[in-house]
Amino acid sequence: MTQETLDSSDNAVDYTTNYKFDLAGNRLEKKVDQGSNNTIDQFFAYAYDANDRLLTESLDNGMDSIIDQMTTYGWGASNLGTQQTSKTVHDQASNLDTSRVTYAYDLQGRMEVVTTETLLTGGSVTRREKVTFDFDDTGIRVSALQEIDATADGTFETRTLTEYLIDPQSFTGYQQVLTETMKNADTGEIQKVIDYTIGQDLIAQTTTGYVNGVPQAPATLTFGYDGHGSTRV
């Protein structure tokens, strides 16, 4: 895709985006014309290493040839080869990082911990979120623990554990989640349960919210597909 244009009844949300790629299919440029008025409002440029790994993404607001934001991607070795280890967003005007994401892997090369930090203009961390994944003996992810330190004071005020019931041999030919159970990681109190009905595709999902441990009225979504397998209804 080299161009995407939205023309709606509300001209305020119209836009035209143009893309440029190298011979390997890596995106080199993205130009956003908000309002489709032939004025470039945002210009993104991308750089890669010799192995086609994304290294930097720069943002120039207003096409004034001044980079406003630089996102840097870090890579490191694991038991599965080279995997992404970090993503850092840097504000060029203040010369300070504004956010930082780090990735850690287990001995089998599976993503184990993702830590996201939001930083103030002064460079201090203001919010920290950590997600820890657990796997069974076959390598299937069976849980995710989300911990939020809203003030970055070293204490996680919110800890939510999501446990996955997996069918490793479904009719889709892939491992499929049958049930997601979200609970307070400290008290064990259930907060939400999502049940999936799987045939050769996802047939339906039913979400049941809980209040003080008591299940509420469930809501069910049923999916209809076209001949290409895309959801249409």
Side-chain angles (χ1 to χ4, degrees):
M1 182 171 66
T2 57
Q3 187 178 78
E4 177 182 15
T5 301
L6 173 64
D7 184 10
S8 72
S9 58
D10 182 1
N11 292 335
V13 300
D14 288 354
Y15 67 81
T16 299
T17 303
N18 289 282
Y19 304 93
K20 182 180 178 180
F21 302 87
D22 64 15
L23 295 178
N26 299 312
R27 181 193 294 174
L28 297 178
E29 296 179 359
K30 174 184 175 182
K31 295 180 180 179
V32 181
D33 175 3
Q34 196 66 46
S36 297
N37 54 8
N38 295 320
T39 299
I40 303 302
D41 300 285
Q42 290 184 316
F43 175 70
F44 295 87
Y46 306 87
Y48 304 83
D49 66 11
N51 292 314
D52 298 316
R53 294 181 294 238
L54 179 61
L55 297 179
T56 61
E57 173 190 311
S58 63
L59 168 61
D60 174 7
N61 289 310
M63 284 291 287
D64 54 6
S65 299
I66 298 175
I67 296 176
D68 298 287
Q69 178 178 288
M70 178 69 74
T71 302
T72 304
Y73 300 85
W75 302 85
S78 79
N79 283 1
L80 287 183
T82 302
Q83 293 178 289
Q84 185 177 347
T85 56
S86 65
K87 174 184 176 181
T88 304
V89 179
H90 187 79
D91 180 71
Q92 297 293 93
S94 64
N95 196 30
L96 292 169
D97 295 340
T98 57
S99 68
R100 182 170 52 233
V101 183
T102 56
Y103 306 90
Y105 301 85
D106 64 14
L107 294 177
Q108 285 71 42
R110 300 172 300 210
M111 186 179 293
E112 187 174 34
V113 181
V114 179
T115 303
T116 304
E117 295 176 322
T118 304
L119 299 94
L120 274 175
T121 304
S124 59
V125 178
T126 57
R127 186 181 188 275
R128 182 177 291 106
E129 178 179 342
K130 184 170 75 170
V131 182
T132 304
F133 301 103
D134 193 20
F135 302 85
D136 65 14
D137 293 337
T138 65
I140 297 176
R141 188 177 69 182
V142 293
S143 70
L145 173 62
Q146 181 187 43
E147 301 174 287
I148 298 176
D149 180 0
T151 57
D153 61 357
T155 300
F156 292 109
E157 297 86 4
T158 304
R159 301 178 70 246
T160 303
L161 177 65
T162 302
E163 296 176 325
Y164 305 97
L165 176 63
I166 308 291
D167 178 4
Q169 295 179 325
S170 72
F171 288 114
T172 66
Y174 299 94
Q175 305 158 1
Q176 296 289 350
V177 178
L178 297 181
T179 303
E180 292 183 38
T181 303
M182 282 148 274
K183 59 180 67 174
N184 185 309
D186 297 314
T187 65
E189 182 179 284
I190 295 177
Q191 299 171 337
K192 183 192 296 184
V193 174
I194 304 177
D195 293 300
Y196 299 92
T197 303
I198 308 289
Q200 292 182 334
D201 287 296
L202 173 62
I203 297 172
Q205 72 178 51
T206 299
T207 302
T208 304
Y210 283 69
V211 177
N212 296 325
V214 178
Q216 306 300 297
T220 298
L221 299 175
T222 303
F223 302 92
Y225 300 90
D226 62 15
H228 296 284
S230 302
T231 302
R232 292 298 181 184
V233 180

